[in-house]
Structure formats: structure tokens, C-alpha cells
Amino acid sequence: MNEAIARQVDEVREGLLESIDSAAPLVIVKAPPGSGKTRLILEAAAFARNRGLRVAIAAQTNSQATDICRRLAHEFPFPVTRFHSSSTRPEDIGSLVTWVEKKADLPVGPCIAVGTTAKWGLIELEEEFDWALVDEAWQMAEADFMLLRQVAPRFIMVGDPGQIPPVVDIDTARWATAPKPPHRPAPELLLAADSDFAPVELALPATRRLPHDSARVVNAFYDFEFESWAEPGDRSLLARPGGENAIDRALDLLSAGSMAALTLPTPIEGPPLEEDRDIAELAAAIAMRTVERGGEILIDGRRTKVWPGHIGLSATHRKMNARMTEALPASIASEVMVDTPERWQGLERPLMIVVHPVSGVTEPTAFDLETGRLCVMASRHQVGVIIVTRDHLPATLEELTPRAEQHVGLRDVIGQGHARHQEFWEKLSESERVVSAG
């Protein structure tokens, strides 16, 4: 399978480089989680620079932009310009990276310059670049893309369409029926548009991060097919023998499969709202028990001793993340990352423990059912993920009749999210990956 995947990746790469040579106005590359999006950006930038072109790279955060510079300097022999506002130059960035704050100091002639979308969008260039390459493009709103269009006449946009839509802090209802809603992901609108700016559309065929069975489950969140580079048996948690308690049984499932769920009984009076301390303590207990049982994680033939830094926790609400952090034992708390799915985008850990978005919710809202959050939470792991929830979840989803809140003619986001949540839980149940702690 890997040889077939490698050929497909080569075809995508060749299509992208041919588009640079033919000066196509727009290339959009869809990519599954952990598929080498940034690597593709680096290769395209180096190829264009070799052709004597001026290349601007737009990342969505300062940390992403700096990481791109670090990788370019390490993997390709080109000087790189980091276009920034006031961030401090890291000591390990390398001598090939020049830090520039003013647009007048940007290099003239063939070059690669890296900055954030916000930085590029707030300046007026005297000399435009030949190409603008956008990393994590589905995190970029249409409004930001409109500002970015003055940077270059041609764009390459690479991103994961399963991620959470761009976070906008203002009411967007006024733009709900606009032809180009400024708060929606720019690639989404460009792919749907009927204009002369027609994109070359490509898709990476496989995820390097997810185990093979997780890739099949997560693929349901996407409108294109992809596989996993990992073969069956390539990824597993090789823990020492445990007991018969629910946590050990859930962990044991990760020795032959990458997904499991652990449920707590729902109180007769209904689940705790907003913050569920029992669920928070359960998630923390799973993390601690993983370390206690020791053993190793197996990733593509490499065995590594389990340590707390291999583990990540996530819930959709900050209060729940705070409760999980409080519940973690001091011996591992400093090494276990706990955050919202929004902050987990682009990150990964061998082992993830996540609170299902509908746990503790009796009347799910558009926020709870938004497909991107569940997709992100279910796709951060390299070896295994355990989903924790109250056991009312399947009944709540089954009994829910989604109310269409969208304007006429727009996509039914709530209905689609409800269907995806049901399908996700049904796959776990049908494959006997759900353990009850009741």
C-alpha cells in the first residue's frame, strides 16, 4: 500500500510544481490530518525560488511562521527572511534566517519571505511577490485572504478542510447570506465560486499521523478519500498487564486498535452542566494509569517508553480543561498538555484523552455539533485516543431532532454535524470499542 500511496503523493507534488511552471493563478491542496502539509509548502517554495521567483509564505500564527523558517533553513540551502512585527529571534533559528520588521527591508529579487497572514495583510508592498503560499489555509478567513491578495497575483493554498472554521469574535449573522461571507474559510469559498479565478484542485492521499483504523473513521468527516501510511499492527500501546477495572480495559483496547471510549453513568437528574468534575477526574486518572502501567508505544517499528509528555487532553470548554488540569497528579501535570481543540489544531501526541463535545449536554447546540471540533479531537493521536463521556450520549443523539437554523439555501451545518456525531459513535459501538465504567 505504501508504494501506491507514495506514487499518489508524487503525482500531487508534480501537479503542484507544474502549476508553478505554468503560472496557474490558484492551486488549492486539500490534506488530511498529519499528511505533510508544511513539507509540501517547503518543497513548493524551494522549487519556485530555484526558478528565480519571489515567494511569500503566509502562516496563521507566529509560531507556525517561525517553524517554517527553521525547517526551510534546515532542509533547503536558501537564505530565508522572517517578516515579523516585534517577536524575539529564537536562538536556534539558524544563520540562514534574517529577521526583518520593515517592508522596506524585504529582499529584492528571488527570495523566500515568511510572515503571518495578518502581517502580510496590513502592509502595502512596493514590489509584489510572484507567489504567495498559504499554510493551514482553512484557518484563514475570506476577509484575511482579501487583504492578502495584494501580496502576489498567484496563490498556493494548502490546508485541512476538516479543521475548525476560523474563530471570529464578532456577530457574523449579517453576512450569513452574502455571496462571500468574510468569516468563512477562504479555500471553501474559492472552491465553490464560479469565477475566472478557478483553482487547480489537488488532494494529498494519506495521513502519516493516524493509525490505519483511525484514518477510516476520521475520513467520514471529509469530502475526499484518504488512507494511512501506517499498516495494521504498525501502531499500538504495549502496556504492562493491568486489572479488570474500566480504565485498564479501555487502555488494553489500544494494544490492538487505536480508538476506545469510556463512559460514566449519567445521574438520574441529568448530567452536570458546563463542568463535570467526575469526567475531568476520569480523564486525569486515565493519563496517570497510562504512566503507571508503563510499557512502550509502538510507532512504525520504533518502540519508545511511555512518559507523560506522550499524553494530551482536550475538552471543548475552558472550564473543563481547567478541571482536568487540576485533577492531574503533580508528578505528571507539567508535562501533559491540556487545551481546547482550537489550540490543538496542527499539534499531535502519541496518546490523546478527549471529552466528547456532547458529554454533559442534553440539548446540543450548533457549537456542540460543529463537525470540526470532533474531527480535530479525533485526529491528534499517533497511537491511540480514548474518548470519555457520560453514557447518555447515544440516546441524546438518537432522540435529537436537529432544528435547521441556517438561512434558506445554505448548508445545514447542525444537521450534518448531528449525522457525523451519530456515525462516529456508531462505529465505536459496532466495533466494540466502548467500555462502561458503571
Side-chain angles (χ1 to χ4, degrees):
M1 182 189 296
N2 285 354
E3 291 183 2
I5 292 174
R7 287 194 296 271
Q8 293 175 58
V9 171
D10 286 341
E11 290 173 3
V12 172
R13 184 183 296 110
E14 290 169 5
L16 179 59
L17 302 185
E18 288 173 3
S19 296
I20 294 175
D21 273 339
S22 65
L26 175 63
V27 184
I28 296 179
V29 183
K30 295 180 178 180
S35 56
K37 298 184 293 294
T38 302
R39 173 67 190 184
L40 194 64
I41 287 279
L42 303 186
E43 292 179 348
F47 180 84
R49 172 65 179 78
N50 267 329
R51 292 292 197 267
L53 302 175
R54 288 168 51 78
V55 181
I57 300 179
Q60 305 315 308
T61 67
N62 277 305
S63 61
Q64 289 171 355
T66 300
D67 182 61
I68 287 172
C69 288
R70 185 181 287 109
R71 290 181 61 178
L72 273 168
H74 177 71
E75 298 177 35
F76 298 94
F78 297 119
V80 181
T81 299
R82 170 69 165 94
F83 190 34
H84 69 102
S85 295
S86 58
S87 54
T88 304
R89 177 190 175 99
E91 294 182 0
D92 63 343
I93 196 66
S95 60
L96 288 175
V97 180
T98 301
W99 282 58
V100 168
E101 186 173 344
K102 299 178 181 179
K103 66 178 183 179
D105 295 329
L106 286 169
V108 177
C111 64
I112 300 176
V114 185
T116 63
T117 298
K119 178 67 174 177
W120 287 118
L122 293 177
I123 63 169
E124 185 175 343
L125 292 171
E126 295 177 4
E127 180 184 1
E128 68 178 4
F129 287 78
D130 296 298
W131 283 91
L133 279 55
V134 184
D135 195 20
E136 299 292 356
W138 263 262
Q139 294 181 24
M140 179 179 65
E142 171 68 10
D144 295 321
F145 177 60
M146 294 304 293
L147 294 174
L148 198 64
R149 288 189 68 169
Q150 55 87 28
V151 174
R154 291 172 288 277
F155 286 83
I156 293 171
M157 306 173 77
V158 183
D160 178 351
Q163 293 194 320
I164 302 166
V167 177
V168 179
D169 295 329
I170 61 175
D171 184 10
T172 60
R174 74 189 74 177
W175 300 304
T177 59
K180 291 186 176 181
H183 60 289
R184 297 300 303 167
E188 174 187 297
L189 300 182
L190 290 166
L191 288 169
D194 183 15
S195 69
D196 294 334
F197 207 44
V200 174
E201 185 177 350
L202 303 170
L204 286 171
T207 169
R208 294 182 179 275
R209 174 190 302 150
L210 295 175
H212 76 286
D213 55 329
S214 289
R216 290 201 303 268
V217 174
V218 172
N219 202 169
F221 295 106
Y222 292 80
D223 63 357
F224 63 99
E225 295 293 325
F226 61 83
E227 300 176 276
S228 171
W229 283 90
E231 299 279 2
D234 284 353
R235 312 281 180 90
S236 61
L237 174 63
L238 306 173
R240 291 195 292 265
E244 289 300 316
N245 62 78
I247 291 178
D248 279 340
R249 284 187 286 130
L251 287 172
D252 288 342
L253 288 173
L254 300 185
S255 66
S258 62
M259 288 186 156
L262 185 53
T263 66
L264 277 182
T266 304
I268 296 175
E269 65 274 15
L273 302 178
E274 292 191 9
E275 53 180 296
D276 189 332
R277 291 183 180 274
D278 291 338
I279 286 288
E281 291 172 2
L282 177 63
I286 296 170
M288 187 60 192
R289 185 59 177 155
T290 303
V291 175
E292 287 175 347
R293 287 183 58 178
E296 300 172 316
I297 55 171
L298 174 66
I299 301 180
D300 305 337
R302 300 189 308 275
R303 291 174 178 243
T304 307
K305 182 178 174 57
V306 173
W307 67 289
H310 286 138
I311 304 169
L313 275 66
S314 184
T316 54
H317 294 282
R318 292 178 180 175
K319 285 185 178 180
M320 273 299 293
N321 286 308
R323 298 294 83 78
M324 289 193 294
T325 301
E326 291 172 0
L328 285 169
S331 59
I332 67 172
S334 64
E335 296 176 276
V336 176
M337 177 174 168
V338 185
D339 218 326
T340 62
E342 283 83 355
R343 300 294 295 272
W344 270 105
Q345 291 185 128
L347 303 178
E348 63 186 22
R349 290 291 186 276
L351 302 167
M352 289 294 300
I353 303 161
V354 303
V355 180
H356 194 285
V358 183
S359 179
V361 178
T362 54
E363 296 182 6
T365 65
F367 176 91
D368 303 316
L369 295 172
E370 204 283 315
T371 308
R373 287 185 180 83
L374 181 58
C375 179
V376 168
M377 297 172 86
S379 62
R380 300 304 96 196
H381 61 283
Q382 299 166 286
V383 172
V385 58
I386 295 179
I387 300 99
V388 294
T389 179
R390 291 286 180 175
D391 62 7
H392 70 88
L393 173 65
T396 296
L397 292 174
E398 180 66 30
E399 296 167 6
L400 177 66
T401 301
R403 291 177 294 180
E405 298 178 359
Q406 77 278 4
H407 290 74
V408 175
L410 297 184
R411 184 165 55 95
D412 182 5
V413 176
I414 294 179
Q416 182 187 63
H418 176 237
R420 293 290 178 268
H421 274 71
Q422 277 194 300
E423 182 179 358
F424 177 79
W425 192 258
E426 286 170 359
K427 286 182 177 179
L428 289 176
S429 299
E430 291 169 359
S431 57
E432 299 182 343
R433 310 297 291 182
V434 180
V435 176
S436 173

